[in-house]
Amino acid sequence: MSSGDGTAGALPGRSPAGRAPSPLSGETPDQATDLVGYRGPTACAAAGITYRQLDYWARTGLVEPSVRPAYGSGTQRLYSFRDVVVLKIVKRFLDTGVALQNIRAAVQHLRGRGLRDLERMTLMSDGATVYECSSPDEVVDLLQGGQGIFGIAVGVVWRDVEAALSQLHGERVDTGETLIGNNPTDELARRRRDRAV
C-alpha cells in the first residue's frame, strides 16, 4: 500500500515514485479509539454479509471486532465504523475471487491506515495481488501496466456503510447507551473537536 507519498503499493514491497505500483505494505496504526460500537447483526446489515460469515471471520482472525471482542457465551462483539468498512471490502474481495491470503494482508494494511487515508484510497486487484492507489494517476498507471482487473473505491464503500449505519443502532462504548440512527462520522467529528480543546 502507499504511504501517501504518491506511490501505489502492493504486498510485500513498495515502488519508488514514478515507477509501476508494487505490493501493499503496513503503516502506523491510527491510535484513536472508537466510542461507538455496532453489534454483530448491525455490522452484518451494513456490510451486506451473513452472521455466519461475520462469526467465522472473527473466529479465524480475518476481521476481528476492535471495540469489544466476544469473551465467551453471552458477550456481544462490538465493531467499530472502520471494522464495518473493512467487512464490506472483504466481502467485495471474496465476491471477485481474490485469494484469502491477499485479503488478509489487505485487511492488516487497512487496519493500519488513518480514517482520512481510507476515504481517499482505491484498492485494485488482478486476482493475485491487491494494490493501493491514492490518486487517479496511480489507477491509470496500474491499468496501463495490465495489472488491474477491478477496483474498490474505499471512499464509496465508506459512504455506503455510513448511510446504512445512520439507519441502524449503535452503542456507546463508555455508557452502553443505544444510539438510534447514529451517523458515525458525526461521532468522529465530535471526538476530533473534543481532542482539540
Side-chain angles (χ1 to χ4, degrees):
M1 294 255 175
S2 168
S3 62
D5 61 1
T7 60
L11 297 166
R14 196 180 279 143
S15 67
R19 298 185 71 191
S22 64
L24 306 175
S25 64
E27 298 290 335
T28 305
D30 183 14
Q31 301 300 317
T33 59
D34 291 329
L35 293 179
V36 177
Y38 302 94
R39 292 181 182 236
T42 301
C44 289
I49 61 173
T50 66
Y51 193 82
R52 183 178 295 236
Q53 286 174 307
L54 179 79
D55 184 55
Y56 180 73
W57 295 350
R59 286 187 292 109
T60 60
L62 179 60
V63 182
E64 297 174 291
S66 64
V67 177
R68 184 174 64 212
Y71 291 111
S73 181
T75 60
Q76 292 280 330
R77 293 181 186 115
L78 281 181
Y79 291 83
S80 69
F81 174 74
R82 177 200 300 259
D83 295 338
V84 179
V85 170
V86 171
L87 288 167
K88 191 168 184 86
I89 290 169
V90 167
K91 180 186 184 330
R92 289 193 178 175
F93 276 141
L94 287 171
D95 288 348
T96 56
V98 174
L100 189 57
Q101 173 184 337
N102 292 327
I103 294 172
R104 282 188 185 282
V107 166
Q108 289 303 314
H109 179 77
L110 290 170
R111 288 223 178 266
R113 296 304 299 263
L115 290 172
R116 295 295 142 211
D117 294 338
L118 294 180
E119 285 182 291
R120 296 183 297 267
M121 184 185 301
T122 299
L123 297 174
M124 303 287 289
S125 180
D126 57 5
T129 305
V130 177
Y131 300 87
E132 175 193 341
C133 299
S134 56
S135 74
D137 290 339
E138 290 176 358
V139 172
V140 170
D141 288 346
L142 191 62
L143 291 171
Q144 286 177 341
Q147 293 170 308
I149 293 176
F150 71 92
I152 298 173
V154 178
V156 172
V157 174
W158 172 292
R159 288 185 291 282
D160 288 348
V161 168
E162 182 179 63
L165 289 176
S166 72
Q167 304 299 312
L168 300 168
H169 300 271
E171 182 179 313
R172 281 192 60 100
V173 175
D174 53 351
T175 64
E177 173 189 4
T178 298
L179 304 170
I180 300 170
N182 177 58
N183 185 332
T185 55
D186 287 347
E187 181 68 21
L188 292 171
R190 186 192 61 71
R191 284 183 16 224
R192 281 190 201 98
R193 283 194 308 270
D194 290 351
R195 272 190 260 144
V197 174

